[in-house]
Amino acid sequence: MVRLMSSPGAIAFQLGPIVVRWYGILMATAIVVGLYLGHREARKEGLPADDIISAGQWAILAGLVGARLYEVAFDWDYYGRFPSKTLAVWEGGFAMHGGLIVGPIVGALLAARWKLPILRGLDIAAPCLVLGQAIGRWGNFFNEEAFGAPTNVPWKLYISPGHRPPGFTRFDFFHPTFLYESLWDLAVFIVLVVWLRHRLHRQPGGLFFAYVGLYSVGRFLIESVRLDSFWLGPFRVAQLASVLGVGVAIAGLAWTRRRAVQTGVAEPSPIAR
């Protein structure tokens, strides 16, 4: 029987006063892997790889800031009482939707300023982003966070008493929703690279909007199981953001398709003929 064991702890190792946490290691790994893959793909397509990666680095930094601000804003009940925790990013607390809003916007603005191909740059970034998300989600495992409702499924995850939310202290095992999202992100990465990259190559921007839509569908479903959702009235904020993401993806795919046809890059679809 397969079952996830408990987290070995948030700290990977310690050198004197220097504490190195698994969350930071995984975040750094995700960034390095993403930048490497992005640089390789940009060179393969004959694009200015160094400039695109420079824009990507600033976009990543902006995305991290946006993810943290999003987390703090929607969890102000906690951070308002403990303002010193606002900068304690080593403890986790990055809301993905905040990063997905701020990061690509900053990257696109820099690309426009530096006269880089914006839509092609976003297409290059999409698989890198979702693979980075798949890697980074494992930081939640070590921090014992972002888990779901109590369960007895074979792959149940043990959560130590100190990390269980109020009202759930008598339960030992929970859904490993961080794992669900990591596997979903990995599946999206494979779909983007193996199936959609070639099919959408003549539709600049299409791959990025496909990523937004596919990620949003998975996040909407997984969020319904999580215990730590932010709420806006009767609605989960992440699910509202996911619905918006699907809408943006549909509109973006339609726009990039129409733009590709108008510029002669792609042929009209049979329906449009």
Side-chain angles (χ1 to χ4, degrees):
M1 183 181 298
V2 179
R3 176 170 68 82
L4 287 179
M5 302 302 291
S6 62
S7 166
I11 298 176
F13 59 89
Q14 187 169 354
L15 298 173
I18 301 175
V19 177
V20 179
R21 297 174 179 264
W22 284 111
Y23 197 96
I25 291 174
L26 289 162
M27 290 288 288
T29 300
I31 292 171
V32 170
V33 170
L35 290 175
Y36 168 76
L37 292 178
H39 190 272
R40 189 179 70 173
E41 183 62 23
R43 290 187 62 184
K44 180 180 175 181
E45 294 194 18
L47 299 174
D50 291 343
D51 291 336
I52 287 176
I53 293 305
S54 293
Q57 290 172 335
W58 283 107
I60 290 170
L61 179 60
L64 291 174
V65 173
R68 186 59 174 178
L69 291 176
Y70 189 104
E71 172 82 13
V72 171
F74 282 102
D75 198 13
W76 188 246
D77 286 345
Y78 172 76
Y79 289 103
R81 288 184 290 116
F82 305 102
S84 62
K85 292 290 187 178
T86 301
L87 299 179
V89 294
W90 52 88
E91 297 179 359
F94 288 96
M96 190 60 64
H97 282 113
L100 292 181
I101 294 170
V102 177
I105 290 175
V106 169
L109 290 174
L110 285 175
R113 181 175 181 179
W114 296 345
K115 295 181 171 40
L116 300 174
I118 298 174
L119 295 178
R120 285 295 185 200
L122 289 174
D123 283 344
I124 288 171
C128 305
L129 284 170
V130 78
L131 181 60
Q133 290 169 230
I135 296 170
R137 271 298 172 195
W138 279 89
N140 300 139
F141 168 66
F142 292 99
N143 281 0
E144 294 189 79
E145 61 186 5
F147 50 86
T151 185
N152 279 314
V153 295
W155 52 89
K156 57 192 176 184
L157 173 67
Y158 175 78
I159 297 296
S160 59
H163 289 87
R164 298 171 194 169
F168 294 89
T169 55
R170 64 187 178 90
F171 297 99
D172 292 329
F173 300 100
F174 298 79
H175 276 287
T177 48
F178 80 88
L179 175 62
Y180 301 162
E181 187 166 338
S182 180
L183 292 175
W184 178 263
D185 291 341
L186 182 60
V188 172
F189 170 77
I190 293 172
V191 169
L192 293 180
V193 172
V194 175
W195 187 48
L196 291 179
R197 176 178 276 166
H198 173 71
R199 286 168 172 79
L200 295 175
H201 184 73
R202 299 178 69 183
Q203 184 178 331
L207 195 68
F208 175 77
F209 286 112
Y211 149 67
V212 171
L214 289 172
Y215 169 74
S216 296
V217 169
R219 181 60 186 272
F220 181 91
L221 297 174
I222 295 168
E223 192 68 22
S224 63
V225 187
R226 285 179 61 164
L227 292 177
D228 60 344
S229 300
F230 299 136
W231 292 83
L232 189 62
F235 303 104
R236 297 174 188 258
V237 173
Q239 289 188 318
L240 292 176
S242 295
V243 171
L244 178 61
V246 171
V248 168
I250 293 172
L253 284 167
W255 172 69
T256 54
R257 176 66 186 178
R258 184 169 61 252
R259 180 178 180 276
V261 171
Q262 290 174 348
T263 57
V265 176
E267 294 292 329
S269 66
I271 295 177
R273 291 174 182 172

